[in-house]
Amino acid sequence: MKKKMEKALNKQVNAELYSSYLYLAMESYFQSISLSGCAKWMRGQVQEEMFHGMKIYDYVHERGGRVQFQAIAKPETQWESPLAAFEHILAHEEKVTELINDLIDVALEVRDHAAKAFLDWFIVEQVEEEATVGEIVDRLRLIGNDSSGLFLLDSELGKRVFTLPVK
Ligand code: FEO
């Protein structure tokens, strides 16, 4: 694998682990305001992002590269409302989509079609993530200050069971 590709994939391992860390901070926030369903949903996000990071980690090794360990940035830890937290997730996922697009640009630039094929999985995953979070944001906006609506959504989100995607 070309060094430029390896370096770019390494950066993404760090970005995915940061996402996991950010979502863990959100899980803790939801615990602190007793929205245990939202907290459980966030735990699924934490595991999913860790899975993404490990998927790239494994791929770097599979291609004969080496994973470089960098510091994971400190995430935000407080949000002014559940809506603000979910809006943050949506904005964050949109940024991650851009990072994946940049990675594909690198793969095409260095003619690494294997890496391009590997990264296509993430493109599909990002569409799904943005759609899921976008829907929750829309519902929270509709709910507004209606606490019974919020508790209903919280209980629905609490039903999330994370299962590892099939390779
Ligand atoms: Fe790893 Fe939420 O994208």
Side-chain angles (χ1 to χ4, degrees), residues 16 19 23 45 49 52 93 96 126 129:
E16 300 290 346
S19 299
Y23 294 159
Q45 287 296 105
E49 298 303 344
H52 293 167
E93 289 300 332
V96 172
Q126 284 308 119
E129 293 226 350

Side-chain angles (χ1 to χ4, degrees), residues 56-144:
I56 304 170
Y57 170 97
D58 285 340
Y59 185 73
V60 169
H61 288 118
E62 198 181 332
R63 295 286 308 275
R66 189 77 212 274
V67 170
Q68 304 298 329
F69 289 82
Q70 305 292 341
I72 297 169
K74 180 183 186 297
E76 269 182 62
T77 54
Q78 191 61 34
W79 290 268
E80 68 180 29
S81 65
L83 174 60
F86 274 95
E87 282 174 338
H88 187 164
I89 304 175
L90 185 57
H92 182 69
E93 289 300 332
E94 286 168 354
K95 257 192 259 164
V96 172
T97 299
E98 281 311 303
L99 294 178
I100 302 289
N101 284 336
D102 291 347
L103 270 175
I104 290 185
D105 286 347
V106 173
L108 292 175
E109 185 196 324
V110 301
R111 292 182 48 80
D112 190 336
H113 291 264
K116 155 80 173 68
F118 168 74
L119 290 164
D120 281 343
W121 182 91
F122 285 87
I123 290 287
V124 176
E125 180 77 357
Q126 284 308 119
V127 171
E128 193 192 303
E129 293 226 350
E130 284 186 34
T132 306
V133 180
E135 192 185 315
I136 298 172
V137 166
D138 286 346
R139 289 175 67 185
L140 281 166
R141 284 186 184 142
L142 282 172
I143 286 167

